[in-house]
Amino acid sequence: MSIILGSTLIVMLMASKPMFRNHLFICGCAFLLAGLTQKKELPWLLYVQLSLVYFGAATNKIFEPDWWSGQFMHNWLVNSQENQFYLSVSALMPEMLFAKILSWSSMLIEFSIAILLLFRKKHLLAVWMIILFHAILYTMTLFRFGHFFEDIVIILLIFLIWPKFKSEVYINRNVHLFYRPLVRLYFLNSDIEYEHNQVNTDSYWLKVKSGNRVLFDRSALIFLLKFTPNFYLSLFLFDQLIRFVFNGTIMHGIQISLMWFCILFFLPINFGRKSTKKIVLDAS
C-alpha cells in the first residue's frame, strides 16, 4: 500500500508542473521508500532520503549569491512576509547583518544535519537539531511551508526503536477511578496495573517496566508517550482543531505554545528530581 501510494503521488506531481510541491514530493518518496524497507531492518532508505532533503536544501542556497549576501532572506521577510520580528531585530543591527546571520546559519545547520543523519550514533543529535531548527523558524516566521513541518516530524518517527513487547505500567492506586478508564484507553499498547506507592524518599507516582529497564515519573511518562500511537494522533487532531477554530495570530500563538511545551518536556534533560530514576535490571 505504501509503494502504491508513494508511486501515485510521485507520478501525479511529475506529470503536472503547476501541482508540484516539495512537501508533497517528500511525502511520496517517504511512502515509496517505506514500502521498500524490510520490516526487520533499519530504514536506511529513509535515513538517506532525509539526509538528501537537507543536503539539497543547503546546496541550493550555497550556489546562490543572494543567500551569501542575505538579500534573499531580507526580501522574503520584509517584502513578502512583513515579519515584525525581523524588522525589529534588524533595525538594531548594521544593514543586512541580521539577514546574513540567518542565511549563513540556515546553510550551516542544514548541511550539518545532512552529514549527521548518515551516522547512526549521531541520529539523536540530528533529530534534535531538526526539531529545534524548524521550531525556531516557525516561531520567528509564523510560516510552515505547506505541511513540510508536519512531514518532517512524522518522518522522524523512523528514529524510534519501538519496544518488542508491551510495557508494564504501574500507577499509584490512589489515582481517582474516573481517570483509570482514560489511562487504559490512551495507552492501549501497555499493560496497566495499580499498586500502593511506598511512602519514603524514593516514592514515585509512575513506574514503567520495559525489557530490562525500569523508568520512573517523568522519564516513565516520556517513554510511554513516545511509544504510544495515540499520542501522535492526539497531536495531529489537536493541531487540526486549532486550525479549524482559530486563525491568524491566535492560531499560531496556540500552536507555537503547544510546540515549545512538548519540546521542553521531551528534551533529554534531568531536572534534578530525586524521584526520576532509571534502573537497569540484571539479566538474572
Side-chain angles (χ1 to χ4, degrees):
M1 194 62 236
S2 291
I3 292 175
I4 293 173
L5 184 56
S7 301
T8 303
L9 275 172
I10 292 173
V11 171
M12 179 189 71
L13 294 173
M14 297 299 290
S16 176
K17 186 175 181 179
M19 290 182 62
F20 187 88
R21 297 291 184 277
N22 283 329
H23 60 274
L24 293 176
F25 188 72
I26 291 172
C27 286
C29 292
F31 277 117
L32 177 61
L33 296 179
L36 296 175
T37 300
Q38 296 295 322
K39 184 177 180 180
K40 296 182 179 181
E41 296 179 359
L42 291 173
W44 279 105
L45 290 174
L46 288 166
Y47 295 164
V48 173
Q49 181 210 356
L50 197 57
S51 176
L52 287 175
V53 168
Y54 286 97
F55 184 75
T59 303
N60 286 339
K61 297 177 178 63
I62 287 174
F63 296 105
E64 291 290 340
D66 284 351
W67 273 92
W68 288 102
S69 66
Q71 191 63 51
F72 179 90
M73 187 69 71
H74 180 79
N75 287 336
W76 179 53
L77 293 176
V78 175
N79 300 324
S80 178
Q81 298 293 317
E82 297 183 358
N83 187 275
Q84 294 301 316
F85 175 80
Y86 173 81
L87 292 171
S88 300
V89 176
S90 60
L92 303 175
M93 298 182 178
E95 186 177 2
M96 300 297 291
L97 177 59
F98 190 42
K100 290 179 181 179
I101 292 174
L102 294 176
S103 298
W104 295 346
S105 61
S106 294
M107 291 186 285
L108 179 61
I109 291 171
E110 288 172 340
F111 187 74
S112 300
I113 290 172
I115 299 299
L116 292 173
L117 286 171
L118 298 177
F119 300 92
R120 189 178 177 186
K121 292 184 179 180
K122 301 297 183 181
H123 280 176
L124 180 61
L125 175 60
V127 167
W128 277 110
M129 284 182 66
I130 291 171
I131 292 173
L132 292 174
F133 175 61
H134 291 290
I136 292 172
L137 185 62
Y138 176 41
T139 302
M140 189 182 73
T141 65
L142 304 181
F143 191 64
R144 287 166 66 157
F145 303 93
H147 52 73
F148 178 76
F149 188 91
E150 298 95 308
D151 298 343
I152 293 299
V153 172
I154 293 172
I155 292 176
L156 290 182
L157 293 177
I158 63 176
F159 296 101
L160 284 178
I161 306 215
W162 290 72
K164 295 181 180 179
F165 307 100
K166 281 189 173 184
S167 302
E168 299 177 21
V169 181
Y170 300 90
I171 303 177
N172 192 332
R173 190 176 292 276
N174 293 325
V175 171
H176 196 281
L177 292 176
F178 174 78
Y179 296 104
R180 294 188 183 185
L182 298 178
V183 172
R184 291 186 179 275
L185 179 64
Y186 198 75
F187 299 109
L188 286 174
N189 58 328
S190 303
D191 290 327
I192 310 293
E193 292 187 23
Y194 298 90
E195 63 180 9
H196 290 292
N197 201 357
Q198 299 177 356
V199 182
N200 53 42
T201 57
D202 295 325
S203 62
Y204 55 85
W205 55 271
L206 177 65
K207 179 174 70 174
V208 174
K209 290 183 180 179
S210 178
N212 63 342
R213 290 193 299 173
V214 180
L215 303 172
F216 295 90
D217 298 334
R218 176 174 171 264
S219 297
L221 182 58
I222 289 175
F223 178 87
L224 278 180
L225 292 174
K226 282 197 305 184
F227 300 111
T228 299
N230 284 339
F231 172 66
Y232 302 103
L233 181 61
S234 299
L235 288 179
F236 171 78
L237 293 176
F238 191 51
D239 180 68
Q240 295 302 307
L241 179 63
I242 294 171
R243 289 169 179 260
F244 179 77
V245 176
F246 303 100
N247 55 33
T249 304
I250 296 177
M251 178 190 73
H252 291 303
I254 297 174
Q255 289 175 327
I256 289 172
S257 300
L258 175 64
M259 176 185 67
W260 281 107
F261 174 81
C262 291
I263 288 174
L264 293 174
F265 180 77
F266 281 95
L267 271 174
I269 297 175
N270 188 346
F271 293 103
R273 289 186 60 185
K274 294 182 180 180
S275 60
T276 303
K277 307 174 184 177
K278 177 179 177 181
I279 300 175
V280 180
L281 301 178
D282 294 331
S284 58

